[in-house]
Amino acid sequence: MGRSGKPEPSSGGLSGVVSPEWARVEMACAAARSPADQDRFICIYPAYLNNKKTIAEGRRIPISKAVENPTATEIQDVCTAVGLNAFLEKNKMYSREWNRDAQYRGRVRVQLKQEDGSLCLVQFPSRKSVMLYAAEMIPKLKTRTQKTGGGDQSLQQGEGSKKGKGKKKK
């Protein structure tokens, strides 16, 4: 309505007000896509679980529960191991991620709801529950536990050899 009380002509939906026709069309489109469609799966980027990130940089869980530099592959492994339908999109990047390295690439799409709208797994009612579970389980992965155990030994050997090289040069 204009100031004079007369209805203003429609500007093709650009006025900021959604007409009832548009609302019906949008609801019909949403109803046509079922929760089982892959484009309706939730997205989880590694930045959501990274304890090195601030909330402004994209972390979505508390630092106390977050993981150091998780990868999309690790998130996918944890989700598929628990029985969720998850797949990896390797070439996707989080928009707030400034680093273009392969380590920071990728996102995981996870199915939360089935075709009829019921939950796939009752223990995961929301995207936050999936993120918290993934952050809890990633440190327990074999790849993580082997890296930390093997890394300590190689660091000790590396330090010894570096000292030896330094003595020879002097």
Side-chain angles (χ1 to χ4, degrees):
M1 290 241 171
R3 291 186 179 181
S4 63
K6 295 179 186 175
E8 292 180 345
S10 175
S11 59
L14 299 176
S15 64
V17 178
V18 177
S19 67
E21 296 89 31
W22 280 104
R24 273 187 251 124
V25 170
E26 287 177 11
M27 295 202 32
C29 289
R33 293 185 301 160
S34 76
D37 290 343
Q38 288 188 349
D39 61 334
R40 299 277 295 146
F41 288 13
I42 64 164
C43 294
I44 300 178
Y45 290 95
Y48 293 175
L49 313 178
N50 194 342
N51 66 5
K52 301 289 186 194
K53 302 274 183 199
T54 63
I55 288 179
E57 291 171 333
R59 181 175 44 81
R60 294 199 177 181
I61 60 174
I63 285 185
S64 60
K65 297 181 180 181
V67 186
E68 185 173 340
N69 296 326
T71 64
T73 309
E74 291 173 332
I75 297 168
Q76 182 199 20
D77 291 345
V78 167
C79 290
T80 51
V82 78
L84 286 169
N85 183 11
F87 67 95
L88 177 65
E89 296 176 322
K90 289 184 180 179
N91 291 324
K92 297 293 183 180
M93 288 271 313
Y94 185 49
S95 57
R96 293 188 214 171
E97 182 61 61
W98 55 271
N99 196 334
R100 301 283 182 212
D101 291 345
Q103 174 186 358
Y104 298 101
R105 286 181 184 255
R107 78 173 171 200
V108 180
R109 306 287 304 250
V110 181
Q111 182 181 8
L112 281 188
K113 294 184 178 179
Q114 296 175 351
E115 186 104 21
D116 60 355
S118 63
L119 294 172
C120 290
L121 291 176
V122 183
Q123 64 191 29
F124 300 116
S126 65
R127 67 181 63 234
K128 192 150 196 167
S129 62
V130 175
M131 288 189 273
L132 289 170
Y133 177 80
E136 180 186 332
M137 298 308 291
I138 285 174
K140 298 175 184 175
L141 287 173
K142 284 185 178 179
T143 54
R144 287 275 176 142
T145 54
Q146 288 173 354
K147 281 182 184 175
T148 55
D152 292 342
Q153 293 171 355
S154 65
L155 280 174
Q156 291 171 355
Q157 292 172 352
E159 288 172 4
S161 63
K162 286 179 185 175
K163 289 178 183 176
K165 287 181 182 178
K167 290 180 182 176
K168 290 179 184 176
K169 287 181 182 178
K170 289 183 180 178

